[in-house]
């Protein structure tokens, strides 16, 4: 046909390996202490040994900290009120356990 593109023939690719379920468990444990807060993240993939990482943050850095559950609740309240205060920013902890900011 006029104007039709001819695609080059592709080499034969090997079959993909069968995928099996690979359970992954992630846990975050947060403990408030006198000096601040300790966050322990645990990751276990399949039958491998769990990997643990701990982070400590001072109270000064955590002032106004918004944890994940509180953030979801705040979003629901703001949606219900149908209003958004300008420049609403809170300190938060990301999925890696690092301190970041959460803006709304």
């Amino acid at each position: 046909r006029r104007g039709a593109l001819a695609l080059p023939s592709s080499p034969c690719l090997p079959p993909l390996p069968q995928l099996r379920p690979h359970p992954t468990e992630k846990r975050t444990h947060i403990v408030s202490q006198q000096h601040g807060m300790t966050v322990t993240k645990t990751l276990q993939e399949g039958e491998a040994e769990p990997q643990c990482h701990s982070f400590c943050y001072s109270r000064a850095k955590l002032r106004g900290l918004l944890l994940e559950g509180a953030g979801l609740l705040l979003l629901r309240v703001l949606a219900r009120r149908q209003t958004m205060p300008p420049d609403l920013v809170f300190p938060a902890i990301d999925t890696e356990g690092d301190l970041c900011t959460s803006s709304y």
Side-chain angles (χ1 to χ4, degrees), residues 3-62:
L5 293 175
L7 298 176
S9 60
S10 62
C12 196
L13 298 175
L16 294 175
Q18 288 286 38
L19 297 178
R20 296 179 308 161
H22 186 79
T24 301
E25 182 180 346
K26 294 181 180 182
R27 285 178 281 164
T28 303
H29 187 73
I30 301 173
V31 179
S32 180
Q33 299 170 338
Q34 280 186 343
H35 70 277
M37 188 175 291
T38 301
V39 178
T40 303
K41 310 255 329 154
T42 305
L43 172 66
Q44 183 171 9
E45 296 182 274
E47 299 297 320
E49 286 293 315
Q51 299 174 2
C52 294
H53 301 282
S54 290
F55 308 89
C56 295
Y57 299 107
S58 69
R59 288 198 179 274
K61 285 188 175 186
L62 296 176

